[in-house]
Amino acid sequence: MKLLNLNISFEQYAGIDELKENDAELCKLSEQALVGSYSPYSKFRVGTAIRLASGEIILGSNQENLAYPSGLCAERVALFSIGSNYPDAVIESMAITAQTDAFEILKPVTSCGGCLQVMAEFERKQSAPIEVIFYCLNGEILKVPSVQSLLPFSFVEDRLAVKA
């Protein structure tokens, strides 16, 4: 038996004013994406903004449904839109934020496991890291250099991979 350790590196910011201009812009766009959230049941709005290597920004917001499992998180809404409309695009970074009227969110909200797996697939497909910024409105921000940092044991089965 071996005991191994896994460490990740991430950046922590006290607020949006500490970010580089392009990262701050992406956070503000994720905030704008909240407007498109359809969340009448949870009243928990999530928005994401994704920057492609081309400079184009794609927005996504969570979409709920009365049949709860039929909804979709903001990250997957945006990522699947990219997969459908820009299949060869390279994703540089994404910012994710959340808001609710029920309480004040005091720390960055991170992506769920399903979203992390989809994010990992996009990162693997493009063979390049995707920076992820978790943006708490009026609060702390976390930035990781790669989805691999968030999901080091993502599901991978090479025998299922598409053969070129």
Side-chain angles (χ1 to χ4, degrees):
M1 193 232 3
K2 292 182 184 179
L3 177 62
L4 305 173
N5 290 305
L6 183 64
N7 297 308
I8 68 164
S9 296
F10 63 95
E11 298 170 5
Q12 182 179 31
Y13 300 89
I16 197 167
D17 294 339
E18 292 183 5
L19 291 174
K20 293 179 188 172
E21 185 178 336
N22 63 341
D23 287 343
E25 175 191 18
L26 201 61
C27 287
K28 288 294 185 185
L29 290 169
S30 74
E31 192 173 344
Q32 286 180 21
L34 292 169
V35 174
S37 171
Y38 179 72
S39 48
Y41 309 105
S42 72
K43 306 212 183 333
F44 192 83
R45 298 176 298 283
V46 181
T48 189
I50 299 177
R51 181 184 301 107
L52 304 179
S54 67
E56 188 161 357
I57 306 290
I58 306 300
L59 302 181
S61 59
N62 60 319
Q63 302 296 308
E64 294 180 350
N65 189 280
L66 184 57
Y68 292 124
S70 298
L72 202 56
C73 300
E75 298 92 323
R76 285 183 275 168
V77 167
L79 289 166
F80 292 155
S81 177
I82 291 166
S84 292
N85 296 301
Y86 308 94
D88 297 320
V90 173
I91 299 168
E92 289 185 343
S93 58
M94 56 192 300
I96 301 144
T97 195
Q99 186 178 51
T100 180
D101 296 333
F103 54 88
E104 183 180 7
I105 298 173
L106 300 173
K107 294 194 177 283
V109 173
T110 57
S111 302
C112 74
C115 286
L116 290 175
Q117 180 65 42
V118 171
M119 292 158 66
E121 178 90 7
F122 272 81
E123 188 171 85
R124 185 169 185 246
K125 176 185 167 196
Q126 70 183 28
S127 299
I130 299 171
E131 287 184 339
V132 182
I133 304 166
F134 297 111
Y135 167 46
C136 180
L137 301 174
N138 302 313
E140 179 182 77
I141 298 167
L142 303 176
K143 180 178 175 182
V144 296
S146 168
V147 177
Q148 180 70 30
S149 299
L150 299 167
L151 191 65
F153 296 107
S154 63
F155 175 71
V156 175
E157 177 48 71
D158 292 330
R159 293 172 291 179
L160 295 175
V162 176
K163 305 291 187 235

